[in-house]
Amino acid sequence: MAADNSVLLGLVEEFVSGQVDSKAAETVTGSSEKSIVNVIHCFSSCRLSLTSSQPQTRGRGVQLLSQVLQECYSSLSEKELEVLLAFYENRLKDHYVIIPHVLQGLKALTECSVLPPGSAVSILRSIFQDLHVQSLMVAERSCVYNILISLMESKEEELKGLGADFIFGFVQSVDGERDPRNLLLAFQVARNIIHRGYGLGKFVEELFEVMSCYFPIDFSPPPSDPHRITQEELVLSLRAVLTGTSQFAKFLLPLIIEKLDSDIQSAKVDSLQTLAACGLTYSHKELAEFLPGLWSSIRREVFQTASERVESAGLSAVSALVSCLSRSVLSSDSEDVLQVFLSLVLKDCQHHLCEPDLKLVWPSAKLLQAAAGASYRASLIVSAAVIPALLEQYNNRTQVRSCPSLTNILRTVLMYFSLCLLHKHTEDSVLVAFQQSLCSVVFSALTESSAGLQVTATGVLTALGQQPGLLAQTDVEKAVDHLTRLILEEDDTKVSLAVVECSGSLAHLHPKAFISRLIPRLKEEILSAVRQRCVTALASVSSLPSVVQESAPILLQVLASAHTGTHSFYSKISFLIIFSTLLFSYRSASRMASQAVSLFLDGDVSFLPENAFPSQIQLLQKHHLFERKKQHLWDSSCHSFTSRQVEIPEIDRLLVQLEDLSCTCPHLFSYTSAAKCFAGLVNKRPAGEALDAVLERVMKRISVELENVSSAQRTQAFTLLLWVSKALLLRYHPLSTALTDKLFALLSDPALGSQVADGFCVLMSDSLDVLNRNCHADVRIMYRQRFFAENSTKLIQGFNSAEQEEKSCYLKALSHIVSNLPRQIQLTELPALLPLLLEALSCADQAVQLSTLSCLQPVLLEPPAAIRNQLEALFSRLLALTTSPVMKVRIASLQCVHALSRLPEHMVLPFRARVLKALAVPLDDKKRLVRIKAMVARGEWFLLGSPGGK
């Protein structure tokens, strides 16, 4: 023991007097590996340095002791802690060079589980009385906050006994803190104070002031920040403090109103989101006084902003306020604050719904929807005031046949139906009182010639059907008759899709009406010119076994007709759809998958009822696939509809067959379908050696075909590459980067470049038949954003290095990628992409022009500085496109020119005369829709700068 003490004393002396920091580590090791007695011996060994008259020497001694304690604190006894705590508390009065080491030691001691009673109070009183925390360095301030956090975890009752003294001490300690790391700790302490019931006493306002001075958070971490503290972390931590107690309401709510006047978008969003969080904590008593001011600020932001983030935050705030007010318990003599607030909302929004051609109809409708959707009582109040006015307006405008206006009104009604779905648990729907009027409006709209009106009407009908008791049996039968008529007569693609979707939704709820009315009519027409729509509709309504029982024989009849040489093309699609429907509908999905594989690979038709097929039809064999009969392979893609849990037998053999067909078949529809099916199966295949082997084999084959410029199968190989790339991109497979790099390289290919550019639309957009969530595909969130982040630089570099004749392919690819990104990403990335987008507007390819315009139009509503610096180039290109030979390009360019009129007047006024002159030409356009857009845009530009105008 004497030898050990001698060694320890030597290490201490070397550290203190010799300034050898490495000796501290040896001392710590020597103390921690042996008995805790060595810690006390270390303390004793340091006594000469601890009592030295030199602050530096005392500091070295305390530093060494604190480092030992950080390793050994858990083994200290209560008696030992009392001695050490008394020493450290006394040292807080010592020279400032010693304080950092004292705080490190105290931090270690406060983490002990056997702190003596009363020690927490003693420690805090010493810190609050002897230290001015904000004069310390960052690390020391962090120690103080961590000491507070540790004591609040282990000695909460003692700290609460300090009462308001604890709050006052904390306020003094944190006042003026600026370091983001320490702010997170300070916010945690404040959050504990509020949520754990510490008495704030008379220091409520002081605590609020010391916290709210950071609101709203404006913090951008440096690019190389090693701590990785984000603005969102700070925002959420501070918000939890400010909204944690209703005692802050009288200070916070006026502050929110004030901050909503800020010109900074992030400040507006933070303020509105904080207000929404208040709704979870506050009651109507705290909100009542400030409701007019809050509503005025929210209304302004939703009505005037061009930012989706601000609008969304404003709507959420309205919902939160209404939800809070709806929870209020009323007494006989109290005012119904919910009714008061909704009166404000209705007064400012309701009259705009009767002016559906003006721009405030949609913000008003969204605000009313947000209010009504917050509670059942609110939905009753709002619906009783709004829906009768909407119905009256609809009926009045029906008499003048104003279809665009009708569409707007009906879409507004649809928005209200969506909110009512939130209250399906209630016995009485808020729409029961309007049942007959609503049904009349919907059925009337379904007979209109406007495609937009018909699409919206199907959406309303779907919403009606999902509300219990809103469709009587006679209404259901009328609805089925209308849907059947539209399926058989309507050629517009959007209408057809909407009708099919509505039919599928209603058939699940009312199968008998569809069995008795729709299926017989489709059976009559399924072999006629509208057979594709009939087959699609049958598949959509076949979601229940009772419906499948009636639809399956009809679809099998179509399949049978294919083997007599008639109707081959569409009959194959029917078989795909019926199998996909059966595999969603029955529990025996695995058995059906096995039967389907046997059918496609081996020609086994024994499981088909009443079959009249050859015993060996060999659907996927090349010698059997003559030109127009190669659509058989489409049938096999039904397997890409199955759930990932369904095991497909002989999948490797199936993949080989599909790969071979997709690479060798000369028929476009066939090899594309095979590629889609292959991709659908690959997307769902579990990761592992089996999938790796498949991908290695197919990529080797694709590479061989693509590298051979004289190969007749290069297009087929590219198509397979495209769909496999999409399959892997959706699931974040590591190989997806290598595949998309191949696609970028092919943009400069003379033969395939244009097809590859169009392929990026396939890569970035939703697929309707395979590789979507309805088909149980593995689709990760934000895959588009990830793809763009990883590849935008490659695209720009490729464009800059490409030959002039190849640049159009890069522009086309860019327009497809950007147009499929969320708007917020477009706004963020636009400055870097703007030069390429302006080039794309000058591209001769009209598809590129249209895609670029559709991307630019929403961005122009809230243009970043990059666009404002390029106005001359932007106006030149847009005005030239207003006379494009393509009507959609003319309309899109006019919409962009219209959007530019909303820029600050001083920026666009110099272009006014030029724009008015250019817009005079499309006023005489042969297409009515173009003339309307030109008239609206020119009207806005004409008012620009005029007295009483904009």
Side-chain angles (χ1 to χ4, degrees), residues 528-576:
S528 68
V530 293
R531 54 187 171 271
Q532 183 182 14
R533 293 206 296 268
C534 293
V535 167
T536 304
L538 280 176
S540 179
V541 301
S542 299
S543 58
L544 295 174
S546 61
V547 184
V548 173
Q549 188 174 359
E550 301 297 326
S551 63
I554 302 174
L555 292 171
L556 290 174
Q557 174 189 353
V558 178
L559 181 65
S561 70
H563 292 279
T564 63
T566 61
H567 311 306
S568 174
F569 181 81
Y570 294 112
S571 62
K572 300 307 169 244
I573 298 178
S574 73
F575 206 41
L576 158 69

Side-chain angles (χ1 to χ4, degrees), residues 213-274:
C213 66
Y214 304 103
F215 178 79
I217 293 287
D218 182 16
F219 169 71
S220 298
S224 57
D225 179 19
H227 309 290
R228 298 183 178 179
I229 294 176
T230 65
Q231 181 180 14
E232 183 180 13
E233 285 181 287
L234 290 167
V235 166
L236 295 178
S237 295
L238 177 58
R239 186 177 299 157
V241 174
L242 297 181
T243 63
T245 173
S246 60
Q247 295 181 72
F248 286 166
K250 61 183 178 181
F251 310 115
L252 178 58
L253 296 176
L255 180 62
I256 289 175
I257 295 173
E258 174 190 334
K259 297 300 182 182
L260 282 173
D261 288 332
S262 169
D263 294 329
I264 302 173
Q265 184 185 117
S266 61
K268 293 178 183 291
V269 173
D270 192 358
S271 299
L272 289 167
Q273 290 176 343
T274 301

Side-chain angles (χ1 to χ4, degrees), residues 94-148:
D94 208 330
H95 196 275
Y96 70 89
V97 301
I98 303 175
I99 300 303
H101 311 306
V102 175
L103 289 173
Q104 288 289 345
L106 275 176
K107 178 176 177 292
L109 293 176
T110 55
E111 293 175 1
C112 292
S113 58
V114 290
L115 278 176
S119 58
V121 172
S122 177
I123 292 170
L124 289 186
R125 288 193 187 279
S126 297
I127 290 176
F128 292 155
Q129 291 173 7
D130 299 330
L131 292 182
H132 181 256
V133 176
Q134 288 306 307
S135 66
L136 301 175
M137 300 298 287
V138 171
E140 286 70 64
R141 302 201 303 272
S142 175
C143 265
V144 172
Y145 301 138
N146 278 301
I147 288 172
L148 293 179

Side-chain angles (χ1 to χ4, degrees), residues 352-378:
H352 291 303
L353 301 183
C354 299
E355 303 167 347
D357 294 323
L358 300 183
K359 64 180 181 180
L360 292 182
V361 63
W362 291 117
S364 298
K366 290 176 182 178
L367 284 166
L368 289 168
Q369 181 192 23
S375 73
Y376 180 64
R377 189 154 68 98

Side-chain angles (χ1 to χ4, degrees), residues 124 128-129 162-175 193 199-204 206-207 210:
L124 289 186
F128 292 155
Q129 291 173 7
L162 280 170
D165 290 344
F166 176 62
I167 308 302
F168 179 70
F170 170 67
V171 167
Q172 282 192 315
S173 300
V174 78
D175 190 12
I193 289 173
L200 303 184
K202 60 183 178 180
F203 296 112
V204 174
E206 284 75 8
L207 180 60
V210 82

Side-chain angles (χ1 to χ4, degrees), residues 185-204:
L185 295 174
F187 293 160
Q188 182 179 345
V189 174
R191 190 165 63 249
N192 289 346
I193 289 173
I194 291 170
H195 290 278
R196 295 183 180 180
Y198 286 74
L200 303 184
K202 60 183 178 180
F203 296 112
V204 174

